[in-house]
Amino acid sequence: MNLVFAFLGGMFLTNGVPHFVSGIKGKTHMTPFAKNSSAYVNVIWAYVNFLLGLWLFGLSMGTLQELVSFDGLALSFWAGSLFMTLADAWLFSNPNAGFPWFKK
């Protein structure tokens, strides 16, 4: 179960980055709430992702030192991060991107 928590922690921590960057630049960006969420919503959503990711990584009993040790826990974390990076790249490169609950 620790590997799953590390994987999910990597996903959430990575997903917070584009929202944080967009928010602090004052730009709109897609969140689960709207296709063009305000900068404020993006900063809040980024912090939710960061806190959830840190909490999940803490549940995995991992430490920051372990992330560079490349043991199973670290590899699971980095795999989650890579997965989220590729998913975000695929989603955000599509000009018609949106979640299924967004009206078309």
PDB file of all heavy atoms in Angstrom, residues 6-16 49 77 79-81 83-84 88:
ATOM      1  N   ALA A   6       2.724   6.458  -2.419  1.00  0.00           N
ATOM      2  CA  ALA A   6       3.838   7.213  -3.008  1.00  0.00           C
ATOM      3  C   ALA A   6       3.512   7.606  -4.448  1.00  0.00           C
ATOM      4  O   ALA A   6       3.780   8.738  -4.871  1.00  0.00           O
ATOM      5  CB  ALA A   6       5.121   6.394  -2.958  1.00  0.00           C
ATOM      6  N   PHE A   7       2.934   6.683  -5.219  1.00  0.00           N
ATOM      7  CA  PHE A   7       2.539   6.952  -6.604  1.00  0.00           C
ATOM      8  C   PHE A   7       1.534   8.097  -6.658  1.00  0.00           C
ATOM      9  O   PHE A   7       1.687   9.060  -7.424  1.00  0.00           O
ATOM     10  CB  PHE A   7       1.942   5.682  -7.223  1.00  0.00           C
ATOM     11  CG  PHE A   7       1.590   5.804  -8.677  1.00  0.00           C
ATOM     12  CD1 PHE A   7       2.528   5.527  -9.651  1.00  0.00           C
ATOM     13  CD2 PHE A   7       0.321   6.180  -9.077  1.00  0.00           C
ATOM     14  CE1 PHE A   7       2.203   5.631 -11.005  1.00  0.00           C
ATOM     15  CE2 PHE A   7      -0.017   6.290 -10.416  1.00  0.00           C
ATOM     16  CZ  PHE A   7       0.931   6.012 -11.377  1.00  0.00           C
ATOM     17  N   LEU A   8       0.494   8.023  -5.814  1.00  0.00           N
ATOM     18  CA  LEU A   8      -0.527   9.064  -5.794  1.00  0.00           C
ATOM     19  C   LEU A   8       0.039  10.391  -5.297  1.00  0.00           C
ATOM     20  O   LEU A   8      -0.333  11.457  -5.795  1.00  0.00           O
ATOM     21  CB  LEU A   8      -1.712   8.626  -4.928  1.00  0.00           C
ATOM     22  CG  LEU A   8      -2.530   7.467  -5.474  1.00  0.00           C
ATOM     23  CD1 LEU A   8      -3.560   7.001  -4.455  1.00  0.00           C
ATOM     24  CD2 LEU A   8      -3.199   7.841  -6.780  1.00  0.00           C
ATOM     25  N   GLY A   9       0.946  10.328  -4.329  1.00  0.00           N
ATOM     26  CA  GLY A   9       1.594  11.547  -3.853  1.00  0.00           C
ATOM     27  C   GLY A   9       2.358  12.235  -4.970  1.00  0.00           C
ATOM     28  O   GLY A   9       2.288  13.460  -5.123  1.00  0.00           O
ATOM     29  N   GLY A  10       3.083  11.467  -5.768  1.00  0.00           N
ATOM     30  CA  GLY A  10       3.799  12.022  -6.917  1.00  0.00           C
ATOM     31  C   GLY A  10       2.856  12.635  -7.930  1.00  0.00           C
ATOM     32  O   GLY A  10       3.137  13.699  -8.496  1.00  0.00           O
ATOM     33  N   MET A  11       1.717  11.988  -8.158  1.00  0.00           N
ATOM     34  CA  MET A  11       0.734  12.520  -9.098  1.00  0.00           C
ATOM     35  C   MET A  11       0.194  13.875  -8.630  1.00  0.00           C
ATOM     36  O   MET A  11       0.157  14.833  -9.398  1.00  0.00           O
ATOM     37  CB  MET A  11      -0.435  11.544  -9.263  1.00  0.00           C
ATOM     38  CG  MET A  11      -0.155  10.353 -10.131  1.00  0.00           C
ATOM     39  SD  MET A  11      -1.589   9.260 -10.279  1.00  0.00           S
ATOM     40  CE  MET A  11      -2.836  10.354 -10.913  1.00  0.00           C
ATOM     41  N   PHE A  12      -0.250  13.934  -7.387  1.00  0.00           N
ATOM     42  CA  PHE A  12      -0.865  15.173  -6.898  1.00  0.00           C
ATOM     43  C   PHE A  12       0.145  16.305  -6.785  1.00  0.00           C
ATOM     44  O   PHE A  12      -0.179  17.451  -7.116  1.00  0.00           O
ATOM     45  CB  PHE A  12      -1.568  14.935  -5.563  1.00  0.00           C
ATOM     46  CG  PHE A  12      -2.930  14.320  -5.723  1.00  0.00           C
ATOM     47  CD1 PHE A  12      -3.123  12.968  -5.542  1.00  0.00           C
ATOM     48  CD2 PHE A  12      -4.017  15.098  -6.071  1.00  0.00           C
ATOM     49  CE1 PHE A  12      -4.369  12.393  -5.699  1.00  0.00           C
ATOM     50  CE2 PHE A  12      -5.277  14.543  -6.233  1.00  0.00           C
ATOM     51  CZ  PHE A  12      -5.452  13.179  -6.047  1.00  0.00           C
ATOM     52  N   LEU A  13       1.347  16.008  -6.319  1.00  0.00           N
ATOM     53  CA  LEU A  13       2.358  17.068  -6.222  1.00  0.00           C
ATOM     54  C   LEU A  13       2.695  17.623  -7.604  1.00  0.00           C
ATOM     55  O   LEU A  13       2.846  18.832  -7.781  1.00  0.00           O
ATOM     56  CB  LEU A  13       3.613  16.549  -5.531  1.00  0.00           C
ATOM     57  CG  LEU A  13       3.486  16.397  -4.014  1.00  0.00           C
ATOM     58  CD1 LEU A  13       4.668  15.615  -3.453  1.00  0.00           C
ATOM     59  CD2 LEU A  13       3.389  17.754  -3.357  1.00  0.00           C
ATOM     60  N   THR A  14       2.794  16.758  -8.586  1.00  0.00           N
ATOM     61  CA  THR A  14       3.099  17.191  -9.944  1.00  0.00           C
ATOM     62  C   THR A  14       1.935  17.962 -10.548  1.00  0.00           C
ATOM     63  O   THR A  14       2.138  18.970 -11.237  1.00  0.00           O
ATOM     64  CB  THR A  14       3.451  15.976 -10.822  1.00  0.00           C
ATOM     65  OG1 THR A  14       4.583  15.315 -10.248  1.00  0.00           O
ATOM     66  CG2 THR A  14       3.759  16.380 -12.244  1.00  0.00           C
ATOM     67  N   ASN A  15       0.713  17.516 -10.294  1.00  0.00           N
ATOM     68  CA  ASN A  15      -0.457  18.194 -10.859  1.00  0.00           C
ATOM     69  C   ASN A  15      -0.624  19.600 -10.302  1.00  0.00           C
ATOM     70  O   ASN A  15      -1.207  20.462 -10.964  1.00  0.00           O
ATOM     71  CB  ASN A  15      -1.724  17.380 -10.609  1.00  0.00           C
ATOM     72  CG  ASN A  15      -2.895  17.903 -11.408  1.00  0.00           C
ATOM     73  OD1 ASN A  15      -2.788  18.075 -12.613  1.00  0.00           O
ATOM     74  ND2 ASN A  15      -3.990  18.165 -10.735  1.00  0.00           N
ATOM     75  N   GLY A  16      -0.110  19.864  -9.132  1.00  0.00           N
ATOM     76  CA  GLY A  16      -0.223  21.200  -8.566  1.00  0.00           C
ATOM     77  C   GLY A  16       0.623  22.233  -9.285  1.00  0.00           C
ATOM     78  O   GLY A  16       0.304  23.431  -9.270  1.00  0.00           O
ATOM     79  N   ASN A  49      -3.768  20.374  -4.199  1.00  0.00           N
ATOM     80  CA  ASN A  49      -2.973  19.286  -4.774  1.00  0.00           C
ATOM     81  C   ASN A  49      -1.678  19.080  -3.993  1.00  0.00           C
ATOM     82  O   ASN A  49      -1.291  17.943  -3.708  1.00  0.00           O
ATOM     83  CB  ASN A  49      -2.650  19.574  -6.237  1.00  0.00           C
ATOM     84  CG  ASN A  49      -3.757  19.156  -7.163  1.00  0.00           C
ATOM     85  OD1 ASN A  49      -3.786  18.035  -7.638  1.00  0.00           O
ATOM     86  ND2 ASN A  49      -4.685  20.059  -7.413  1.00  0.00           N
ATOM     87  N   PHE A  77       7.009   6.864  -6.520  1.00  0.00           N
ATOM     88  CA  PHE A  77       6.726   8.303  -6.503  1.00  0.00           C
ATOM     89  C   PHE A  77       7.036   8.924  -7.859  1.00  0.00           C
ATOM     90  O   PHE A  77       6.225   9.655  -8.420  1.00  0.00           O
ATOM     91  CB  PHE A  77       7.552   8.988  -5.401  1.00  0.00           C
ATOM     92  CG  PHE A  77       7.422  10.484  -5.388  1.00  0.00           C
ATOM     93  CD1 PHE A  77       6.416  11.085  -4.653  1.00  0.00           C
ATOM     94  CD2 PHE A  77       8.292  11.293  -6.106  1.00  0.00           C
ATOM     95  CE1 PHE A  77       6.287  12.458  -4.630  1.00  0.00           C
ATOM     96  CE2 PHE A  77       8.165  12.671  -6.082  1.00  0.00           C
ATOM     97  CZ  PHE A  77       7.157  13.256  -5.343  1.00  0.00           C
ATOM     98  N   ALA A  79       7.314   7.459 -10.733  1.00  0.00           N
ATOM     99  CA  ALA A  79       6.424   6.919 -11.763  1.00  0.00           C
ATOM    100  C   ALA A  79       5.089   7.669 -11.742  1.00  0.00           C
ATOM    101  O   ALA A  79       4.529   7.993 -12.796  1.00  0.00           O
ATOM    102  CB  ALA A  79       6.206   5.425 -11.555  1.00  0.00           C
ATOM    103  N   GLY A  80       4.580   7.958 -10.546  1.00  0.00           N
ATOM    104  CA  GLY A  80       3.345   8.741 -10.439  1.00  0.00           C
ATOM    105  C   GLY A  80       3.522  10.142 -10.988  1.00  0.00           C
ATOM    106  O   GLY A  80       2.645  10.677 -11.668  1.00  0.00           O
ATOM    107  N   SER A  81       4.670  10.741 -10.716  1.00  0.00           N
ATOM    108  CA  SER A  81       4.967  12.071 -11.225  1.00  0.00           C
ATOM    109  C   SER A  81       5.050  12.063 -12.753  1.00  0.00           C
ATOM    110  O   SER A  81       4.481  12.935 -13.420  1.00  0.00           O
ATOM    111  CB  SER A  81       6.280  12.576 -10.619  1.00  0.00           C
ATOM    112  OG  SER A  81       6.594  13.851 -11.096  1.00  0.00           O
ATOM    113  N   PHE A  83       3.694   9.859 -14.803  1.00  0.00           N
ATOM    114  CA  PHE A  83       2.353   9.587 -15.319  1.00  0.00           C
ATOM    115  C   PHE A  83       1.527  10.867 -15.382  1.00  0.00           C
ATOM    116  O   PHE A  83       0.892  11.170 -16.398  1.00  0.00           O
ATOM    117  CB  PHE A  83       1.651   8.535 -14.450  1.00  0.00           C
ATOM    118  CG  PHE A  83       0.216   8.329 -14.824  1.00  0.00           C
ATOM    119  CD1 PHE A  83      -0.125   7.534 -15.904  1.00  0.00           C
ATOM    120  CD2 PHE A  83      -0.801   8.941 -14.099  1.00  0.00           C
ATOM    121  CE1 PHE A  83      -1.452   7.352 -16.261  1.00  0.00           C
ATOM    122  CE2 PHE A  83      -2.126   8.771 -14.448  1.00  0.00           C
ATOM    123  CZ  PHE A  83      -2.449   7.965 -15.532  1.00  0.00           C
ATOM    124  N   MET A  84       1.560  11.657 -14.303  1.00  0.00           N
ATOM    125  CA  MET A  84       0.771  12.883 -14.265  1.00  0.00           C
ATOM    126  C   MET A  84       1.314  13.908 -15.245  1.00  0.00           C
ATOM    127  O   MET A  84       0.541  14.634 -15.881  1.00  0.00           O
ATOM    128  CB  MET A  84       0.766  13.461 -12.847  1.00  0.00           C
ATOM    129  CG  MET A  84      -0.321  14.457 -12.609  1.00  0.00           C
ATOM    130  SD  MET A  84      -1.902  13.625 -12.510  1.00  0.00           S
ATOM    131  CE  MET A  84      -2.854  14.508 -13.695  1.00  0.00           C
ATOM    132  N   ASP A  88      -1.024  15.381 -18.101  1.00  0.00           N
ATOM    133  CA  ASP A  88      -1.251  16.825 -18.225  1.00  0.00           C
ATOM    134  C   ASP A  88      -0.814  17.333 -19.594  1.00  0.00           C
ATOM    135  O   ASP A  88      -1.505  18.155 -20.198  1.00  0.00           O
ATOM    136  CB  ASP A  88      -0.495  17.588 -17.132  1.00  0.00           C
ATOM    137  CG  ASP A  88      -1.208  17.562 -15.790  1.00  0.00           C
ATOM    138  OD1 ASP A  88      -2.374  17.129 -15.724  1.00  0.00           O
ATOM    139  OD2 ASP A  88      -0.577  17.971 -14.797  1.00  0.00           O
TER     140      ASP A  88
END
